[in-house]
Amino acid sequence: MNLNRMIENDFCITFSTINGSGSATANITLMRALFRMGIPVSGKNIFPSNIQGQPTWFTLRLSKDGYLARVQEDDIVVAMNPSTIGKDIDALVSGGVLLIPDDFKINGEIRTDIVLYRMPVRKLIREANVSPQLRDYVANMVYVGVLAHLLKIDMDKIYQALDFHFKSNQKAINTNFDVVKAAFEWATENLEKKDRYITAPMKGTEDYIMTDGNTAAALGSIYGGMQFAAWYPITPATSLAETLNEYLPKLRIDEATGKETYAVVQAEDELAAIGMAIGAGWGGLRAMTSTSGPGLSLMTEYLGLAYYAEVPVVVWDVQRVGPSTGMPTRTSQGDLTMVNFISHGDSQMIILIPGSVNECFEFGWRAFDFAERFQTPVIVLSDLDFGMNQWITKKFDYPDLPMDRGKVLWEDDLEKMLEKNNGVWGRYLDIDGDGIPYRTVVGNQHPKSGYFTRGTSHDEFANYSEDSVVWEEVFARIAKKFDTAKKELPKPEILLQPGAEVGIISSGSADPAVIEARDLLKAEGLRTDYLRIRSLPFSDEIKKFIESHKEVYVVEINRDGQLFQLLTMEYPDIANRLRKAAHMDGLPLTAKWIKNKVLAKEEK
Amino acid sequence: MTAPSSSTTQITNQVGLTKADYKGAPSTLCQGCGHNGIAAQIVTACYEMNLLPEKVVKFSGIGCSSKSPTYFLGRSFSFNGLHGRMPSLALGALFADHTLEAIGLSGDGDTASIGLGQFKHLVRRNLPMVYIVENNGVYGLTKGQFSATAEKGLYLKKQGTNPFLPIDIAMEALVSGATFVARSFAGDPKQVKELIKAAIAHDGIAVIDIISPCVTFHNHENSFHSYSFGKVHEEPLHEISLVLAREEITVDDFETGEVREVTMHDGSTVILKKLENEYDPTDKWQALRTLEEAANNNWLLTGLLYVEPNAPTLFDKYNLPDTPLNRLPAEKLRPVRETLEKINAMMF
């Protein structure tokens, strides 16, 4: 093997372990160390719906070019799980590296085109000063030390990563770092470098932080002034609510009174979680819930009521693979059409689709502004890939707009409104002509502030009415409100390559793979323009984009091409330009799949 | 601001309102429906308790009972939610302003079937609100099906004979840890009113299961939920009245030992005048035993079954500001810019 042609900061390591064995600490430590070395890195956890004993994989991708998408092949495999070793070896590229504990037996021939290193895991752990209960956990630190030697990962950065992870608990840091050091020293003395992979410090992560989408969403919500959250545990949304509970006491205690400016309730189920959130939204609080597909299914009826009764509420749907229980620990973009048409009867939701972890933060606070401005549910579609995986992302930006509480009338506002309009105010009266009425909320002491909110048909003054004309008028006015909303929601992000005739439309966590695929396609001679959708209802820019390309690939992570379907319905006259490029196997999309899909069609 | 009363010559309560200020829209329920009588007693109870309608918020689910918040307290905010899911709605809304008095109206279809889970969880959390179940054992709006509180052996024209034992809402409330449980009968308006007043005085969940006959689909002579049955078989535990904190208690017509007083959280007093048997409404075991006995003997037992006046409520478990959450200005809700720099530094 020619060690003169080293591959620097551009390869992929997969750690194959047994879940519940404590490998997460080792893996995140390596990821943080690489991040501190300035190397763009992304981490994806492929884990089972299980507590302990099942196979789990963590993949670290180092990319000097900053690509964050998943790749299909592994350059290095650290195989700590004997039951999956055959499959793990198969995933290696030619010239790849296999690290295994020295007591693992491999049946049959080992591939001759890979490099094998055996690690004395048992011996090193036995020699380490670790209590027997902790041995299994720190065993994973052996591969951290061995890799540090083989790949030249900075040991100081590993120490910093452990210091961060264990929140400066010196005993825990030492226990782990001693094993890392011992393994590093053993490797230095005993392993001859035979592979091509190497790391080197660079400046690729300045202004970046390392976090996950659920943390970003929770923090964004807190900076958006979230006042009430109701939730029920469900993978992969649970950590969003738990992060609220973690940071709210740090950020939202009123200094003057020492009181909490928020409330979080763990509901008995999602039927109740959405009921609570809608009750709070109706009461004038910035209210939210977070869930995933099955929970969202349970919320549909209340969301229909909130649409028709015009109650602001924010719902985070951290998507997983459905229908039914599906693959609860795998990612998908499979809820789009469901959310768009949620509830019975005609209804419509404002949908926000963040395309990065940073945007999860941004939409965290902006979702409340839209919900209150337009007095309607806002569904934010994240997914497991964003929500639970570790990402490097741009630092969170402080909200650049003041909070928009929408058209809320307190006592004096209502009095002025009544004076101006000859004593007339109606909860559903469109005074401004934008389809958005004015609302009062509970606690308002003006004797004319109260009204009756209902899901049954009602007139402009919130009175019950079964009059067909009244129904049609109120319903048309709500549609008009969405026309207003459409113009104010986040516009799509458009990236152009001069001379491109082919377009790509995508959204959410498909974005990193599309970004990389466009470079791959360009290298093959195919230029593409790219539009990333950030909100629904669709903005007019999307139509223009489709019109200006002869073919537009709609890239998404589901089976049926749900975004493709919605675009086809929205723009039937130009829908023949759209090409479905949908794929869903529970894993994040790869650039290679997109490239092959586009080229296969273009070459026909 | 306090609402002016419509006329100075009319009789007003301590907050200057007439009884008319507590009325709602005319009822569209059937003539003689038990729910109409209950709505009238809610009006009187709120008037006598000197509540400002703007300080009251109404909730309901789906069904005939849940329509009735339209027929009282027309000035108050109200939210008519989904079937069986009024409890969650009320819980969220009361976090917006925890100083409000909440009155929830539900039925046996709404509470004892789809809503049983939310009902029991609301009770378990002890959300301060009055929770009235207008219980008639039948689905009225869908025209006459058995509800979960219909007694075994009940015959209904469309349904035949009910083979199942009923769910006892008062007992469900008790075993879920309710801090105020009462049962009443729409044909006994005075008791209904006094129980509602006591429920308003209670700080915590106050469940009142009111047998409220459906005159159209289920008012047979001998069925548990009928007027005629209630008139004959009602067994009040005591004669109840509520005396407000400011009022002087005059019980001179009661002999010593015949009266039990319970001091409520707001300082008012529930006076329970003994009837046939001794009954202690602070003894949960006695309440459960008495309910079981009544069920076995087919008695319509009414009165204040259980009360625990000083139990911590849901809001005692939160550290909420005195100012209602929905009145907090933006600067109290968005952390300052410097904090985000720290947050970014924490994200490794």
Side-chain angles (χ1 to χ4, degrees), chain A residues 223 264 301-302 398 411 453, chain B residues 78 85 318 327 334-335 339:
Chain A
Y223 280 83
V264 179
E301 193 182 0
Y302 246 129
Y398 195 74
E411 290 84 351
T453 307
Chain B
S78 191
R85 281 160 278 174
Y318 286 79
R327 299 237 183 204
R334 174 168 286 169
T339 59

Side-chain angles (χ1 to χ4, degrees), chain B residues 297-318:
Chain B
N297 292 298
N298 211 22
W299 296 330
L300 172 49
L301 191 81
T302 63
L304 179 57
L305 290 159
Y306 180 71
V307 63
E308 190 186 344
N310 295 313
T313 73
L314 176 65
F315 296 128
D316 291 324
K317 294 169 171 81
Y318 286 79

Side-chain angles (χ1 to χ4, degrees), chain A residues 214-227:
Chain A
N214 283 350
T215 300
L219 285 165
S221 303
I222 292 171
Y223 280 83
M226 162 261 156
Q227 291 166 289

Side-chain angles (χ1 to χ4, degrees), chain A residues 15 65 103 127 158-159 166 182 207 267 327 341 380-381 428 509 526 529 542 557 576:
Chain A
F15 305 89
D65 300 316
D103 52 351
E127 288 166 8
I158 290 175
Y159 186 87
F166 290 108
D207 289 326
M327 288 203 282
F341 299 114
V380 192
L381 285 179
Y428 298 114
S509 74
L526 184 75
D529 291 336
I542 298 169
I557 308 170
N576 59 355

